[in-house]
Amino acid sequence: MENNLSRLLLEIHRGGRTIEPGRFQEWALEQIKIHIPFDAAMWSCGIAQEHAPHTHKAHVHNLPHSLYEELFCLSD
């Protein structure tokens, strides 16, 4: 298992140089899913501000975008 995860990390690192930026997060999640099964995910960038998340952007994988909006109260 450890070797597989090491190879996965190297593959994601290499992919960062070859996969177009707009596809990278989806591609990386698909690579991870091969080794660590999951149904859905959210990859987000942000900060913790006053003990609450402040997300700058997020990529949802097999999740409705409305869930992202609900989690981060963007629908107000």
mmCIF file of all heavy atoms in Angstrom, residues 8 12 19 23-33 38 43:
data_model
loop_
_atom_site.group_PDB
_atom_site.id
_atom_site.type_symbol
_atom_site.label_atom_id
_atom_site.label_comp_id
_atom_site.label_asym_id
_atom_site.label_seq_id
_atom_site.Cartn_x
_atom_site.Cartn_y
_atom_site.Cartn_z
ATOM 1 N N LEU A 8 1.396 7.147 -6.436
ATOM 2 C CA LEU A 8 0.288 8.075 -6.658
ATOM 3 C C LEU A 8 0.748 9.525 -6.481
ATOM 4 O O LEU A 8 0.451 10.381 -7.319
ATOM 5 C CB LEU A 8 -0.860 7.767 -5.691
ATOM 6 C CG LEU A 8 -1.988 8.793 -5.625
ATOM 7 C CD1 LEU A 8 -2.702 8.912 -6.964
ATOM 8 C CD2 LEU A 8 -2.955 8.425 -4.517
ATOM 9 N N ILE A 12 0.732 12.402 -9.380
ATOM 10 C CA ILE A 12 0.040 13.691 -9.244
ATOM 11 C C ILE A 12 1.029 14.840 -9.418
ATOM 12 O O ILE A 12 0.725 15.835 -10.088
ATOM 13 C CB ILE A 12 -0.706 13.769 -7.894
ATOM 14 C CG1 ILE A 12 -1.896 12.795 -7.920
ATOM 15 C CG2 ILE A 12 -1.168 15.191 -7.600
ATOM 16 C CD1 ILE A 12 -2.587 12.625 -6.596
ATOM 17 N N ILE A 19 -0.966 18.167 -17.116
ATOM 18 C CA ILE A 19 -2.424 18.285 -17.219
ATOM 19 C C ILE A 19 -2.781 19.772 -17.250
ATOM 20 O O ILE A 19 -2.251 20.549 -16.455
ATOM 21 C CB ILE A 19 -3.123 17.587 -16.028
ATOM 22 C CG1 ILE A 19 -2.698 16.122 -15.913
ATOM 23 C CG2 ILE A 19 -4.633 17.723 -16.122
ATOM 24 C CD1 ILE A 19 -3.041 15.259 -17.097
ATOM 25 N N ARG A 23 -8.312 21.230 -15.758
ATOM 26 C CA ARG A 23 -8.681 19.815 -15.588
ATOM 27 C C ARG A 23 -7.934 19.134 -14.450
ATOM 28 O O ARG A 23 -8.228 18.009 -14.082
ATOM 29 C CB ARG A 23 -8.372 19.042 -16.876
ATOM 30 C CG ARG A 23 -9.331 19.243 -17.981
ATOM 31 C CD ARG A 23 -9.201 18.207 -19.114
ATOM 32 N NE ARG A 23 -8.380 17.013 -18.904
ATOM 33 C CZ ARG A 23 -8.762 15.886 -18.273
ATOM 34 N NH1 ARG A 23 -9.932 15.787 -17.737
ATOM 35 N NH2 ARG A 23 -7.936 14.853 -18.172
ATOM 36 N N PHE A 24 -6.950 19.816 -13.875
ATOM 37 C CA PHE A 24 -6.057 19.151 -12.932
ATOM 38 C C PHE A 24 -6.786 18.579 -11.718
ATOM 39 O O PHE A 24 -6.559 17.429 -11.344
ATOM 40 C CB PHE A 24 -4.930 20.076 -12.472
ATOM 41 C CG PHE A 24 -4.036 19.410 -11.464
ATOM 42 C CD1 PHE A 24 -3.102 18.471 -11.874
ATOM 43 C CD2 PHE A 24 -4.162 19.681 -10.116
ATOM 44 C CE1 PHE A 24 -2.291 17.823 -10.950
ATOM 45 C CE2 PHE A 24 -3.355 19.038 -9.181
ATOM 46 C CZ PHE A 24 -2.418 18.111 -9.609
ATOM 47 N N GLN A 25 -7.643 19.343 -11.069
ATOM 48 C CA GLN A 25 -8.285 18.856 -9.851
ATOM 49 C C GLN A 25 -9.129 17.616 -10.122
ATOM 50 O O GLN A 25 -9.061 16.641 -9.370
ATOM 51 C CB GLN A 25 -9.128 19.959 -9.210
ATOM 52 C CG GLN A 25 -8.262 21.067 -8.642
ATOM 53 C CD GLN A 25 -9.071 22.264 -8.228
ATOM 54 O OE1 GLN A 25 -10.051 22.614 -8.860
ATOM 55 N NE2 GLN A 25 -8.647 22.907 -7.157
ATOM 56 N N GLU A 26 -9.909 17.643 -11.186
ATOM 57 C CA GLU A 26 -10.727 16.471 -11.529
ATOM 58 C C GLU A 26 -9.835 15.277 -11.850
ATOM 59 O O GLU A 26 -10.084 14.153 -11.397
ATOM 60 C CB GLU A 26 -11.652 16.795 -12.702
ATOM 61 C CG GLU A 26 -12.628 15.708 -13.027
ATOM 62 C CD GLU A 26 -13.678 15.480 -11.942
ATOM 63 O OE1 GLU A 26 -13.946 16.379 -11.125
ATOM 64 O OE2 GLU A 26 -14.233 14.365 -11.908
ATOM 65 N N TRP A 27 -8.788 15.499 -12.610
ATOM 66 C CA TRP A 27 -7.845 14.435 -12.954
ATOM 67 C C TRP A 27 -7.193 13.864 -11.695
ATOM 68 O O TRP A 27 -7.122 12.636 -11.521
ATOM 69 C CB TRP A 27 -6.782 14.967 -13.922
ATOM 70 C CG TRP A 27 -5.702 13.980 -14.189
ATOM 71 C CD1 TRP A 27 -5.721 12.975 -15.113
ATOM 72 C CD2 TRP A 27 -4.450 13.874 -13.506
ATOM 73 N NE1 TRP A 27 -4.557 12.251 -15.047
ATOM 74 C CE2 TRP A 27 -3.757 12.787 -14.058
ATOM 75 C CE3 TRP A 27 -3.842 14.594 -12.483
ATOM 76 C CZ2 TRP A 27 -2.493 12.407 -13.634
ATOM 77 C CZ3 TRP A 27 -2.586 14.209 -12.048
ATOM 78 C CH2 TRP A 27 -1.931 13.121 -12.628
ATOM 79 N N ALA A 28 -6.738 14.724 -10.797
ATOM 80 C CA ALA A 28 -6.069 14.267 -9.575
ATOM 81 C C ALA A 28 -7.023 13.465 -8.700
ATOM 82 O O ALA A 28 -6.639 12.426 -8.151
ATOM 83 C CB ALA A 28 -5.507 15.455 -8.803
ATOM 84 N N LEU A 29 -8.269 13.915 -8.583
ATOM 85 C CA LEU A 29 -9.242 13.160 -7.787
ATOM 86 C C LEU A 29 -9.509 11.792 -8.399
ATOM 87 O O LEU A 29 -9.668 10.802 -7.672
ATOM 88 C CB LEU A 29 -10.539 13.959 -7.636
ATOM 89 C CG LEU A 29 -10.444 15.175 -6.717
ATOM 90 C CD1 LEU A 29 -11.702 16.028 -6.832
ATOM 91 C CD2 LEU A 29 -10.198 14.756 -5.274
ATOM 92 N N GLU A 30 -9.549 11.706 -9.714
ATOM 93 C CA GLU A 30 -9.727 10.402 -10.364
ATOM 94 C C GLU A 30 -8.531 9.488 -10.084
ATOM 95 O O GLU A 30 -8.708 8.285 -9.883
ATOM 96 C CB GLU A 30 -9.924 10.575 -11.876
ATOM 97 C CG GLU A 30 -11.257 11.180 -12.254
ATOM 98 C CD GLU A 30 -12.445 10.277 -11.935
ATOM 99 O OE1 GLU A 30 -12.268 9.048 -11.783
ATOM 100 O OE2 GLU A 30 -13.557 10.819 -11.821
ATOM 101 N N GLN A 31 -7.317 10.038 -10.053
ATOM 102 C CA GLN A 31 -6.134 9.233 -9.741
ATOM 103 C C GLN A 31 -6.189 8.731 -8.301
ATOM 104 O O GLN A 31 -5.877 7.579 -8.018
ATOM 105 C CB GLN A 31 -4.847 10.050 -9.959
ATOM 106 C CG GLN A 31 -4.655 10.577 -11.357
ATOM 107 C CD GLN A 31 -4.809 9.508 -12.415
ATOM 108 O OE1 GLN A 31 -4.115 8.491 -12.382
ATOM 109 N NE2 GLN A 31 -5.717 9.725 -13.337
ATOM 110 N N ILE A 32 -6.589 9.606 -7.391
ATOM 111 C CA ILE A 32 -6.689 9.229 -5.978
ATOM 112 C C ILE A 32 -7.741 8.145 -5.790
ATOM 113 O O ILE A 32 -7.537 7.184 -5.037
ATOM 114 C CB ILE A 32 -7.008 10.470 -5.117
ATOM 115 C CG1 ILE A 32 -5.829 11.448 -5.158
ATOM 116 C CG2 ILE A 32 -7.347 10.067 -3.689
ATOM 117 C CD1 ILE A 32 -6.143 12.827 -4.619
ATOM 118 N N LYS A 33 -8.857 8.263 -6.506
ATOM 119 C CA LYS A 33 -9.967 7.314 -6.372
ATOM 120 C C LYS A 33 -9.545 5.887 -6.734
ATOM 121 O O LYS A 33 -10.095 4.927 -6.203
ATOM 122 C CB LYS A 33 -11.131 7.749 -7.262
ATOM 123 C CG LYS A 33 -12.392 6.964 -7.032
ATOM 124 C CD LYS A 33 -13.470 7.303 -8.023
ATOM 125 C CE LYS A 33 -14.107 8.625 -7.708
ATOM 126 N NZ LYS A 33 -15.319 8.872 -8.510
ATOM 127 N N PHE A 38 -13.767 6.494 -3.050
ATOM 128 C CA PHE A 38 -14.723 7.445 -2.475
ATOM 129 C C PHE A 38 -15.794 7.728 -3.515
ATOM 130 O O PHE A 38 -15.603 7.487 -4.695
ATOM 131 C CB PHE A 38 -14.034 8.741 -2.012
ATOM 132 C CG PHE A 38 -13.296 9.475 -3.099
ATOM 133 C CD1 PHE A 38 -13.947 10.419 -3.881
ATOM 134 C CD2 PHE A 38 -11.950 9.240 -3.335
ATOM 135 C CE1 PHE A 38 -13.275 11.108 -4.884
ATOM 136 C CE2 PHE A 38 -11.269 9.926 -4.334
ATOM 137 C CZ PHE A 38 -11.934 10.855 -5.101
ATOM 138 N N TRP A 43 -12.667 19.787 -3.384
ATOM 139 C CA TRP A 43 -11.295 20.273 -3.288
ATOM 140 C C TRP A 43 -11.416 21.779 -3.226
ATOM 141 O O TRP A 43 -11.835 22.417 -4.175
ATOM 142 C CB TRP A 43 -10.547 19.838 -4.524
ATOM 143 C CG TRP A 43 -9.121 20.247 -4.654
ATOM 144 C CD1 TRP A 43 -8.549 21.425 -4.296
ATOM 145 C CD2 TRP A 43 -8.083 19.463 -5.235
ATOM 146 N NE1 TRP A 43 -7.226 21.430 -4.611
ATOM 147 C CE2 TRP A 43 -6.914 20.237 -5.188
ATOM 148 C CE3 TRP A 43 -8.037 18.194 -5.795
ATOM 149 C CZ2 TRP A 43 -5.705 19.776 -5.690
ATOM 150 C CZ3 TRP A 43 -6.832 17.747 -6.286
ATOM 151 C CH2 TRP A 43 -5.680 18.521 -6.231
#
